[in-house]
Amino acid sequence: MTTLREYLDTTSCKEDLKELIELIARQAEPIRKAFITNQEYVDTENIYGEEQIALDKWSNKHMMEVFKKSKLVKAAASEEEAEIIKFPEAKTEYALTMDPLDGSSLVQVNLAVGTIIGIYDNGEVMQPGRNLRAAMYMLYGPMTVLGLTVKEGVHIFAMNDEGEYLMLEKDVRIPEGELYASGALKKDWLPKHAKFIEKLEEEGYKLRYSGSFVADVHQYLKYGGLFSYPAYKGKETGKLRLLFEANPMGYIVTQAGGRISTGYADILDIMPEKIDHRVPIYIGSKGVIERLEKEFKEE
Ligand code: AHM
Ligand code: MG
């Protein structure tokens, strides 16, 4: 079986990028181990005023320490930090975006959660997702799984008992599947969104929504369909973040032949206006997203 290193050696990645990807992927082990010791809620809120559980903070702090020590990261923006963190001792130009623990509300019920990372190679995080050099996620489910693209397709790896990643699926292509999901309360959905979701239900699309974006997108990558967290009444920007969630996962899905859209435009072309820039998200199979964009524009 192909190890992560063996795969990386077949790509056009420079040695320091290979090292960075391996280093990040290895952090799945300490993060997983921390699940058991970081279960309780702490009485702080994150920068979005949300209740923050200890594991969010722990994972963020752990990753930032790893980045600093490695000298492989010049700057990092994290969902858990109000400002971009700079590492002046870095010997590279890699700038990262990170959701250290996506799906954190599921930690205490032991459902799948993950870490999402975007990697730019020009020292800058405030730029469109289209410019990403690489994107990856680690999913902590029954197995520890790594989804990775270095702009040469999407490949899925699983960690074995020795902590080594072995390739599970090569060159994943997202099919035109029939799963659907929508975040936000149904009573707050905007009319165009509600109409489209209703249509999918009538066509026989099956509902799959877990509360963990990274776990949901991993599933949609395999089976296809339309995952959405839309604009909704009172929050026209939607909930999910451009830098930390939409761009890296959208980049991966796009590399697998799928799409990510606001319903009107490709999310990967958006210039971020601020660190916590939020976007309505439609992500999944290409056909259904093109159909949605067409209908949204027509009405
Ligand atoms: P988080 O990064 O703080 O965990 O928040 C993002 C999560 C996504 O993983 C998920 O899709 C969404 O929020 C779930 O939200 P809701 O509870 O409104 O369904
Ligand atoms: Mg998140």
Side-chain angles (χ1 to χ4, degrees):
M1 284 180 102
T2 312
T3 64
L4 176 59
R5 174 39 79 151
E6 284 166 350
Y7 164 69
L8 289 169
D9 284 341
T10 67
T11 68
S12 62
C13 295
K14 290 203 292 196
E15 184 54 33
D16 56 9
L17 180 57
K18 293 180 196 174
E19 280 172 28
L20 178 59
I21 290 169
E22 284 193 302
L23 179 72
I24 293 168
R26 272 203 302 278
Q27 304 318 311
E29 268 195 312
I31 291 176
R32 254 202 118 105
K33 280 193 186 129
F35 277 33
I36 194 77
T37 49
N38 291 273
Q39 282 290 314
E40 72 279 270
Y41 280 90
V42 291
D43 61 354
T44 61
E45 291 181 334
N46 70 9
I47 54 171
Y48 309 110
E50 296 161 338
E51 193 175 39
Q52 186 177 34
I53 68 159
L55 196 62
D56 296 23
K57 281 184 105 175
W58 189 93
S59 308
N60 183 59
K61 190 167 165 281
H62 172 77
M63 292 302 265
M64 289 297 182
E65 284 164 7
V66 168
F67 296 158
K68 185 174 194 300
K69 204 166 148 219
S70 74
K71 299 194 168 63
L72 290 168
V73 180
K74 189 172 184 191
S78 164
E79 196 182 291
E80 301 298 335
E81 304 275 357
E83 307 288 337
I84 296 168
I85 309 293
K86 305 255 168 69
F87 302 103
E89 325 80 55
K91 295 191 185 115
T92 73
E93 288 298 310
Y94 296 117
L96 270 46
T97 62
M98 167 170 73
D99 184 345
L101 203 83
D102 181 55
S104 48
S105 72
L106 300 184
V107 168
Q108 291 184 324
V109 290
N110 198 32
L111 292 182
V113 297
T115 301
I116 308 172
I117 304 272
I119 304 177
Y120 294 96
D121 60 4
N122 58 0
E124 184 56 61
V125 291
M126 297 298 280
Q127 56 181 313
R130 185 84 60 204
N131 299 345
L132 280 162
R133 174 64 188 88
M136 61 198 283
Y137 60 87
M138 286 95 81
L139 180 64
Y140 317 117
M143 295 189 291
T144 297
V145 158
L146 166 70
L148 171 69
T149 185
V150 295
K151 302 210 302 198
E152 297 177 36
V154 176
H155 310 285
I156 309 287
F157 299 81
M159 193 186 272
N160 69 10
D161 287 345
E162 281 78 52
E164 177 128 67
Y165 283 101
L166 300 175
M167 194 182 276
L168 202 60
E169 283 186 66
K170 190 177 159 56
D171 212 3
V172 178
R173 304 300 294 170
I174 183 168
E176 277 303 321
E178 297 196 328
L179 297 181
Y180 82 98
S182 174
L185 298 180
K186 195 168 180 176
K187 70 176 182 61
D188 294 333
W189 289 354
L190 303 178
K192 283 181 187 178
H193 175 79
K195 197 172 157 203
F196 197 80
I197 294 293
E198 205 173 294
K199 200 183 281 186
L200 295 186
E201 285 168 341
E202 277 163 18
E203 287 172 17
Y205 276 61
K206 188 198 275 184
L207 175 64
R208 288 280 176 90
Y209 183 86
S210 76
S212 164
F213 180 64
V214 62
D216 285 336
V217 174
H218 180 71
Q219 177 170 202
Y220 280 73
L221 201 52
K222 172 97 183 150
Y223 298 130
L226 179 76
F227 175 94
S228 63
Y229 207 116
Y232 58 96
K233 251 178 257 159
K235 201 152 190 190
E236 272 67 18
T237 56
K239 175 186 179 185
L240 300 183
R241 292 103 180 161
L242 176 63
L243 261 65
F244 312 117
E245 287 149 340
N247 277 338
M249 296 309 282
Y251 198 84
I252 289 170
V253 167
T254 302
Q255 272 286 315
R259 287 280 319 274
I260 184 162
S261 175
T262 60
Y264 296 91
D266 198 310
I267 284 180
L268 297 180
D269 294 323
I270 298 174
M271 181 68 198
E273 286 160 13
K274 50 184 178 178
I275 295 180
D276 78 331
H277 190 134
R278 298 181 191 230
V279 272
I281 291 184
Y282 295 89
I283 184 169
S285 307
K286 195 173 180 188
V288 70
I289 292 183
E290 283 177 353
R291 190 147 67 94
L292 173 118
E293 284 179 333
K294 196 162 166 274
E295 291 198 15
F296 274 26
K297 273 172 204 158
E298 270 168 10
E299 286 167 36

